C-alpha cells in the first residue's frame, strides 16, 4: 500500500505532504487545485509508469520562478514494494533528460528501493480511462531484466533492449470492446468477457452478480439479464442489466452512470482473476493488498448512488476477495457533499482520512489540510461546513437576496428601497422559506408597506 507522498516544487504547491489512510483516503476541494494530480503521482509512485502526462516541475509549465534560482523538484513516498516492505523512494527531476531519476545526489541517502508496489492497483480517471497494474507481472519483468543484465557480457556483439509495460491502460471504449494488437487479442474487454463468464457460469460471473447487487442503489435493485443480440451487422450477444420491474437493457445502451459503475466492477473482477491466473502460472502467492483509486467518484451518478457508492465499493471488494486474506485501500476525489455525508456512519479515524485542497487568497498558494472528522449528519451541513465553505446550502440568488434584506433591516432603508428588495426575495425564495417570518416581522416594525 501507499503510506505517504511528499511533493516539492512539483504540482499545484511548493510543498505537499500526504499521509494516506490504511482503508480510505478522500480528497475534496475546488477545481484546478491538484486533486487529480495527486492521484496521478500516487499511481506513478506505485507502478513506475504514468497513466497520462508525466508530472513536470512548476518551473517548466509556469513562470513561478522567473528571475529566481529554481530549486530541485522532488517526489518522495513510502510504500510496500515488491522488493521490500515499507520502502522509502525518492525521485529528483533531471532537467537535461527530463526524467525523474531515483539516483538522487542528496546527502540524505534515504532511498531504500526503486521498485513498484506489491499491491494490485486500479485507477479510474475522470474521463473513464482505467489503468490496471499487477505486481506478479511487474516482478516477472524485473526478473527478466535482471537476468538479461547479468548475462549481457556473454553477448557483446548483440545489442538488446527490454522495455515492458507492466500496466494496462484502456479508454472506456477499449475497456468495453477490447484491444487487438499485432494480430493478437491483447484484451477481450467487458462485453466479450462478461458474455463468456455468463455462459460458463464461472466464479467471475458469480462475482459480477454479487457486485451488481452491492452497487445497486437502495430501492432500485438491479440484476444481470440474458445475453441478447442487438444489431443485425454485429453478431455479438451483449450483456444486459435487468431492473426490478423485469426490463432488460443491453449494457451498450445503459446510462453513463451505470456504465461507470459496471466499468469499475468489471475492472476489479478482471484484475483479480487475471492476478490469480498469473500466480498459478508463475507458481507465486496471491497479493495481500488491493488499491483502488477513483477520480471524481460521484461523476455521472444520481444522488441515490452518490450516497452509497463508497460503502458499495468496499462491499464489492470484500465480496470479490471472499476466501482470501486481502486488505483493501480506497483513494478517491469528490466534490459531492452526499458522498461525505454517506461516510458519517462508517468513517474510522484510525484507518480513514479526509483532505481538503484550498486556495490561500492572500498568498495565492494551494494548501492541503487534513480535516478533523466531524459527523455533520446531512449533505446540507457538509455544504456549509469548512470543507466546502458555502455560506448557505441554497442558490446564489437566495443567498444574495437574504444578505441584502438583512442589511436593509440593519440600515433602516426607506420603504421604496425595501419594496425593491422584497421583489428580489419573492423571485428567489420559496413561499414557505423560513426567512419570510424574519423579513415580515422586521418590515412590520419598520412600518414598511410591502
Amino acid at each position: 500500500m501507499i503510506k505517504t507522498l511528499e511533493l516539492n516544487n512539483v504540482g499545484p504547491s511548493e510543498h505537499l505532504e500526504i499521509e494516506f489512510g490504511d482503508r480510505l483516503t478522500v480528497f475534496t476541494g475546488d477545481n484546478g487545485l491538484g486533486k487529480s494530480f495527486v492521484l496521478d503521482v500516487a499511481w506513478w509512485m506505485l507502478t513506475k509508469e504514468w497513466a497520462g502526462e508525466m508530472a513536470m516541475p512548476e518551473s517548466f509549465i509556469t513562470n513561478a520562478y522567473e528571475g529566481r534560482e529554481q530549486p530541485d523538484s522532488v517526489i518522495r513516498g513510502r510504500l510496500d514494494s515488491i522488493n521490500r516492505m515499507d520502502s522509502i523512494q525518492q525521485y529528483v527531476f533531471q532537467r537535461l533528460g527530463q526524467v525523474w531519476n531515483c539516483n538522487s545526489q542528496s546527502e540524505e541517502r534515504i532511498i531504500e528501493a526503486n521498485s513498484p508496489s506489491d499491491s494490485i492497483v486500479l485507477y479510474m480517471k475522470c474521463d473513464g480511462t482505467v489503468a490496471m497494474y499487477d505486481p506478479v507481472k511487474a516482478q516477472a519483468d524485473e526478473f527478466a531484466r535482471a537476468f538479461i543484465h547479468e548475462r549481457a557480457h556473454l553477448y557483446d556483439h548483440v545489442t538488446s533492449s527490454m522495455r515492458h509495460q507492466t500496466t494496462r491502460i484502456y479508454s472506456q471504449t477499449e475497456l468495453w470492446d477490447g484491444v487487438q494488437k499485432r494480430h493478437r487479442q491483447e484484451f477481450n474487454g467487458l462485453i466479450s468477457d462478461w458474455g463468456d463468464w455468463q455462459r460458463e457460469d464461472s466464479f467471475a460471473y458469480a462475482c459480477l452478480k454479487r457486485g451488481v447487487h452491492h452497487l445497486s442503489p437502495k430501492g432500485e435493485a438491479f440484476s444481470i439479464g440474458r445475453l441478447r443480440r442487438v444489431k443485425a451487422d454485429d453478431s455479438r450477444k451483449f450483456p444486459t442489466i435487468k431492473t426490478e420491474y423485469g426490463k432488460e437493457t443491453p449494457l451498450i445502451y445503459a446510462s453513463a452512470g451505470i456504465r461507470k459503475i459496471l466499468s469499475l466492477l468489471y475492472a476489479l473482477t478482471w484484475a483479480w482473476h487475471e492476478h490469480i491466473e498469473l500466480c498459478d502460472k508463475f507458481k507465486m502467492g496471491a497479493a495481500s493488498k488491493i488499491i483502488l483509486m477513483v477520480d471524481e467518484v460521484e461523476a455521472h451518478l444520481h444522488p441515490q448512488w452518490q450516497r452509497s457508492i463508497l460503502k458499495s465499493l468496499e462491499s464489492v471488494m470484500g465480496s470479490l476477495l471472499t476466501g482470501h486474506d486481502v486488505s483493501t485501500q480506497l483513494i478517491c476525489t469528490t466534490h459531492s457533499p452526499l458522498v461525505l455525508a454517506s461516510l458519517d456512519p462508517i468513517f474510522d479515524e484510525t484507518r480513514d482520512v479526509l483532505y481538503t485542497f484550498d486556495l490561500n487568497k492572500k498568498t495565492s498558494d494551494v494548501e492541503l489540510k487534513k480535516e478533523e472528522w466531524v459527523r455533520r449528519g446531512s449533505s446540507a451541513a457538509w455544504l456549509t461546513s469548512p470543507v466546502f465553505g458555502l455560506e448557505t446550502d441554497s442558490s446564489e440568488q437566495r443567498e444574495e437576496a437574504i444578505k441584502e434584506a438583512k442589511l436593509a433591516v440593519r440600515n433602516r432603508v426607506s420603504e421604496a428601497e425595501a419594496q425593491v428588495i422584497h421583489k428580489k426575495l419573492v423571485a428567489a425564495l420559496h413561499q414557505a422559506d423560513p426567512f419570510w417570518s424574519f423579513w415580515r416581522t422586521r418590515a412590520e416594525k419598520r412600518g414598511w408597506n410591502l
Side-chain angles (χ1 to χ4, degrees):
M1 293 192 175
I2 186 166
K3 300 177 180 179
T4 64
L5 187 63
E6 182 179 340
L7 307 177
N8 291 293
N9 304 307
V10 56
S13 179
E14 288 189 3
H15 180 74
L16 288 179
E17 284 189 39
I18 301 165
E19 185 175 350
F20 293 90
D22 291 337
R23 182 184 71 157
L24 173 66
T25 304
V26 180
F27 295 99
T28 189
D30 204 352
N31 296 96
L33 298 185
K35 300 184 299 297
S36 300
F37 178 81
V38 165
L39 292 194
D40 285 344
V41 176
W43 164 266
W44 173 75
M45 179 62 76
L46 287 163
T47 68
K48 301 302 177 285
E49 294 178 14
W50 295 99
E53 293 294 330
M54 180 179 72
M56 297 291 284
E58 189 69 12
S59 58
F60 272 68
I61 55 180
T62 71
N63 60 351
Y65 294 98
E66 191 170 3
R68 293 187 290 154
E69 183 180 353
Q70 299 174 0
D72 282 342
S73 298
V74 181
I75 298 175
R76 180 185 301 178
R78 178 181 283 109
L79 64 144
D80 295 333
S81 75
I82 60 175
N83 285 342
R84 60 178 296 164
M85 297 291 287
D86 199 17
S87 68
I88 301 172
Q89 303 185 26
Q90 176 174 295
Y91 299 84
V92 177
F93 190 77
Q94 303 299 315
R95 297 179 182 279
L96 187 60
Q98 295 202 5
V99 294
W100 290 97
N101 186 2
C102 66
N103 297 318
S104 168
Q105 300 303 311
S106 169
E107 295 179 359
E108 295 180 65
R109 311 308 303 164
I110 66 162
I111 303 172
E112 299 178 2
N114 176 35
S115 63
S117 173
D118 67 348
S119 307
I120 298 170
V121 189
L122 285 94
Y123 177 22
M124 173 171 272
K125 305 187 75 173
C126 59
D127 62 359
T129 297
V130 175
M132 298 179 279
Y133 160 87
D134 194 304
V136 172
K137 192 172 187 301
Q139 204 161 343
D141 288 348
E142 186 167 283
F143 177 83
R145 281 191 291 269
F147 184 83
I148 290 174
H149 179 73
E150 181 183 338
R151 287 160 175 75
H153 66 282
L154 301 176
Y155 306 97
D156 293 336
H157 62 289
V158 177
T159 300
S160 64
S161 63
M162 183 175 179
R163 170 63 177 160
H164 282 181
Q165 286 192 325
T166 57
T167 62
R168 295 170 181 254
I169 302 174
Y170 301 121
S171 67
Q172 189 175 72
T173 299
E174 291 173 330
L175 186 76
W176 281 54
D177 293 336
V179 177
Q180 188 176 45
K181 291 183 179 178
R182 300 186 184 92
H183 305 292
R184 65 183 179 88
Q185 193 70 22
E186 178 187 285
F187 180 66
N188 291 330
L190 181 151
I191 292 173
S192 177
D193 279 336
W194 187 308
D196 288 343
W197 296 344
Q198 186 165 347
R199 279 184 285 267
E200 296 165 2
D201 198 19
S202 65
F203 179 68
Y205 178 57
C207 292
L208 286 179
K209 286 195 292 185
R210 289 196 296 268
V212 169
H213 171 73
H214 285 306
L215 289 168
S216 296
K218 186 177 180 180
E220 290 189 18
F222 289 94
S223 60
I224 297 177
R226 297 165 296 179
L227 299 172
R228 292 181 57 191
R229 181 171 177 173
V230 177
K231 303 177 182 180
D233 59 349
D234 191 333
S235 62
R236 292 179 297 175
K237 288 190 174 182
F238 294 90
T240 62
I241 285 291
K242 184 166 63 175
T243 67
E244 59 183 337
Y245 305 108
K247 180 182 178 181
E248 293 183 348
T249 302
L251 299 192
I252 56 171
Y253 297 117
S255 68
I258 292 178
R259 288 172 69 91
K260 174 178 180 173
I261 291 294
L262 296 182
S263 293
L264 259 177
L265 175 59
Y266 167 69
L268 277 165
T269 305
W270 184 90
W272 177 247
H273 290 281
E274 175 79 355
H275 176 74
I276 295 301
E277 286 189 9
L278 288 175
C279 288
D280 183 61
K281 181 176 181 179
F282 294 116
K283 307 301 181 186
M284 297 174 64
S288 60
K289 309 175 189 75
I290 290 183
I291 302 172
L292 174 61
M293 301 196 299
V294 185
D295 196 10
E296 296 188 17
V297 68
E298 76 282 0
H300 302 300
L301 299 185
H302 186 275
Q304 289 188 93
W305 290 39
Q306 289 184 27
R307 68 177 187 172
S308 63
I309 182 63
L310 292 183
K311 188 175 184 302
S312 296
L313 286 175
E314 186 180 30
S315 298
V316 165
M317 289 193 284
S319 176
L320 181 68
L321 304 171
T322 300
H324 296 270
D325 185 16
V326 181
S327 56
T328 60
Q329 185 179 33
L330 177 57
I331 304 169
C332 68
T333 69
T334 184
H335 297 115
S336 170
L338 269 173
V339 170
L340 296 187
S342 73
L343 294 178
D344 272 344
I346 63 174
F347 196 90
D348 182 349
E349 292 180 79
T350 65
R351 299 185 295 161
D352 306 330
V353 63
L354 170 65
Y355 283 100
T356 301
F357 281 88
D358 199 5
L359 183 66
N360 187 319
K361 295 181 180 179
K362 293 182 178 179
T363 63
S364 297
D365 292 331
V366 174
E367 298 175 345
L368 181 64
K369 179 184 178 183
K370 183 178 180 180
E371 297 286 346
E372 181 180 354
W373 182 260
V374 178
R375 290 185 178 181
R376 304 188 187 275
S378 70
S379 59
W382 276 102
L383 270 176
T384 55
S385 73
V387 174
F388 289 101
L390 298 184
E391 292 187 21
T392 70
D393 62 339
S394 59
S395 68
E396 289 182 353
Q397 291 85 347
R398 178 184 182 275
E399 187 175 311
E400 290 302 320
I402 289 176
K403 277 185 182 180
E404 194 172 346
K406 288 181 176 179
L407 190 61
V409 169
R410 190 179 307 121
N411 294 338
R412 297 175 179 269
V413 300
S414 67
E415 182 175 308
E417 291 173 307
Q419 288 174 345
V420 171
I421 295 170
H422 183 75
K423 289 180 180 179
K424 293 181 180 179
L425 290 172
V426 170
L429 273 62
H430 186 269
Q431 59 185 4
D433 195 294
F435 184 75
W436 283 122
S437 176
F438 170 87
W439 175 245
R440 287 172 177 141
T441 301
R442 296 306 185 276
E444 186 177 343
K445 286 184 177 182
R446 299 289 183 271
W448 296 333
N449 183 20
L450 303 177

